[in-house]
Amino acid sequence: MADVLPYKPRAGEIPTNPGVYRFRDADGRVLYVGKAKNLRQRLSNYFAPLRTLHERTRRMVTTASSVEWTVVSTDVDSLQLEYMWIKEFDPPFNVRYKDDKSYPFMAVTLGDEAPRVIVTRNRKIPGARYFGPYPKVWAVHETIDLMVKAFPIRTCSDSSYKRAMQTGRPCFPGQIGKCGGPCSMTVSIEEHRAMVDDFVAFMAGGDERFTRELTKRMLAASAAMDYEAAARFRDKLTAIEAVLGKSALVLATDEDADLFGIAEDELAAAVQHFVIRGGRVRGVRAMTIEKEIDISTADLVDQVLQRAYGDAQDVPRRIIVPTLPDDAAELEVWLRERRGKKVEIAVAQRGQRADLMRTATLNAQQALIRYKTRRTSDYIARTQALTDLQEALGMSEAPLRIECFDISHLGGTNVVASMVVFEDGLPRKDQYRSFNIAETTDDTDSMYQVLRRRLAYLDRPEEADEPAAVAPAVAATTEGGDELAEVVVEVKRRPRFAYPPQLLLVDGGQPQVEAAARALRDAGHTEIAVCGIAKRLEEVWLPGDDFPVILPRTSESLYLLQRLRDEAHRFAITHQRKRRRNDITSILAEVPGLGASRIKVLLKHFGSVTALRSAAPEEIQEVQGIGPVLAENIHTHLSTR
């Protein structure tokens, strides 16, 4: 492969102005759209020597056959043009969005003569005001049922409303008290419009004003001994408080904001969008993103905000993100044009906002795990993944049993290894194993040791068998009542470690793969395939190859290998932490006068074993229940171990 792209522009040909660029393939299809404050500086990154590019970026530029750019006058213009072109061309190498589902919204049809409130998934109703999204349909209906008690606006269908207005007979929901529109014959169109305005204002965050006004009216009616009116105001106040009780107050009561929590890996990202109005979370939207080329978190935030507000009707005063995009100032200008007022993009650093960001990020992490798990748990996807692996790795059969190994250590100490097993694309957690490694020189030596120990069981299957389980002796009787002899049943559990895998997967690149291949040769099991997955570029290495195997970014096979690698890493870290915890607990237990409860208090106070080991006797003495003599004994004992 040539190291220079044939369509690379000549030196000085690319302008230094802000603008938007497009990569096209030989058929003229737009592959990627991007913006830049300095086109020459940005595009030079794509035309660097191919060997220095990220693998997915290299695939994009080698697939393309031309690049073109459009100069604009301001950075805001480039942002608007980029958004328009991404929407128009849907380039395959730009990030791809997938909403987790079509979320239901509460909509108020303000464009109607007598607006009504409905549950809908249609975001294109002319003149409608939307609230949400809501995670479940029943949550929208429940909110509407409570809200119409405080603000009795129309809920009936358009046909029912039209028929009622023509005949002078209330619509059916109006007859049973479920519709408060003009069709119920209790209010005029003007009065109903005023209630609709109050409904919208309340849902938009005007909680405190309505609570104060209703409380004031209720007390005034009670003082005037108009108890029926006071009861009506009381019922409305109860309904409002019930609605507010459905969503906890997470920020200040006057805070209107959107908060985005993001979790990502090299290939995908999950976004949790919290809609906060009046300090309360009014809706949550989740989406997953497939990343085709290497993209930073700041650029990802930029793309997410463009997606969220490109066609939005409701832009809040403040947008809270995990990382500020590079063009945050231009985005604020772009958003201000849509809102008509100032918009601030901020990072949550402390207090309630930081707490809420942690919650949103945790939800995003769980969503990302669910997304990747769904892809590997689907039967068709699993079958495709195993077939693709067979072809990509040149195997004679699909790897129905895959074992993945990972090495974990803490600064070269407490070296452990993990083995996780997937059969038919699904984890077999009952067959996971962990290894302790006493002496090692590096990760490759550790990998060699572990695989030799594991492969040894293939030649000695009797050692791999689980111990026989002996069922208790039982006395049985016949149907006629005659007693039979006691029977002792020995149940031999099936061997697990003796099962040979079709594929060994190691966490690492070429050095780790070569160590694994050497272990297979020395053990005499060259019939087992081996490969490694390197985390930096998600590339797959085979022994003896100078170049990695690049699996398609969206392939099921790559997702399967990723999940195996991540599961092995998780299992190794869990084992290492447990081992460290057990080690320090057993060491402290040797100190006279130091029991389990005091050990727990010590570790909780210092937060880590390292901090406890480096603490002076005077610092240890500060812990409740630790006297000067005991503190000196603890310090002496730890310093000698």
Side-chain angles (χ1 to χ4, degrees), residues 88-228:
E88 178 182 354
F89 298 113
D90 191 22
F93 281 89
N94 282 87
V95 295
R96 312 294 291 247
Y97 297 89
K98 292 185 177 180
D99 284 337
D100 278 3
K101 61 184 76 174
S102 177
Y103 286 93
F105 285 82
M106 178 194 301
V108 182
T109 59
L110 296 178
D112 294 346
E113 175 188 62
R116 63 176 178 141
V117 58
I118 59 173
V119 180
T120 183
R121 299 179 192 270
N122 179 12
R123 293 298 309 275
K124 298 181 179 180
I125 301 174
R129 179 70 182 274
Y130 291 90
F131 300 99
Y134 290 81
K136 302 291 182 183
V137 171
W138 61 261
V140 199
H141 286 294
E142 187 179 63
T143 303
I144 290 176
D145 289 343
L146 292 171
M147 284 294 297
V148 295
K149 293 178 181 178
F151 306 97
I153 67 174
R154 183 165 80 91
T155 58
C156 63
S157 66
D158 288 338
S159 59
S160 295
Y161 171 75
K162 184 177 180 181
R163 185 167 52 251
M165 296 301 286
Q166 288 175 345
T167 62
R169 296 179 56 190
C171 65
F172 179 73
Q175 294 175 35
I176 62 175
K178 294 292 186 179
C179 181
C183 50
S184 65
M185 307 303 167
T186 58
V187 295
S188 66
I189 291 179
E190 292 74 19
E191 291 171 333
H192 179 260
R193 174 66 71 167
M195 284 192 293
V196 169
D197 292 341
D198 288 344
F199 184 104
V200 171
F202 177 84
M203 289 302 300
D207 307 344
E208 294 296 324
R209 176 171 68 87
F210 288 102
T211 303
R212 287 195 303 268
E213 288 183 1
L214 286 173
T215 303
K216 183 178 178 180
R217 291 181 183 180
M218 180 182 66
L219 295 176
S222 179
M225 289 187 280
D226 186 355
Y227 299 116
E228 291 185 2

Side-chain angles (χ1 to χ4, degrees), residues 9-21 36-44 67-72:
R10 292 191 297 271
E13 186 176 342
I14 306 174
T16 57
N17 307 72
V20 180
Y21 54 91
K37 295 183 177 181
N38 184 319
L39 283 168
R40 181 181 299 175
Q41 183 177 349
R42 173 61 62 86
L43 286 173
S44 65
V67 63
E68 57 191 37
W69 54 85
T70 300
V71 174
V72 295

